[in-house]
Amino acid sequence: MPLTCPEGGIVLDPFVGTGTTCRVAQEMGRKSVGIESSAVYMKLAREGCNGNASF
């Protein structure tokens, strides 16, 4: 959760799903790492982060 991540920290989301946590981290100026095994959800997560993420 980005709210508990210190400024300059990195958010880890091991079940990224649609990418909401990574998107919010990005909006809050945090870096994030998302892990997802489903290609369908990876596509949704990338779209949700406007292509500004690597998963």
Side-chain angles (χ1 to χ4, degrees), residues 20-38:
T20 301
T21 298
C22 292
R23 180 182 48 78
V24 172
Q26 188 178 55
E27 290 171 1
M28 295 180 72
R30 298 333 190 248
K31 294 181 181 182
S32 64
V33 175
I35 302 168
E36 180 58 61
S37 62
S38 167

Side-chain angles (χ1 to χ4, degrees), residues 1 9 11 13 16 20 25-26 29-30 37 42 44 50 53:
M1 180 107 192
V11 175
D13 187 357
V16 80
T20 301
Q26 188 178 55
R30 298 333 190 248
S37 62
M42 288 306 305
L44 291 171
N50 298 317

Side-chain angles (χ1 to χ4, degrees), residues 1-19:
M1 180 107 192
L3 295 175
T4 59
C5 179
E7 195 169 324
I10 300 173
V11 175
L12 173 64
D13 187 357
F15 305 100
V16 80
T18 59

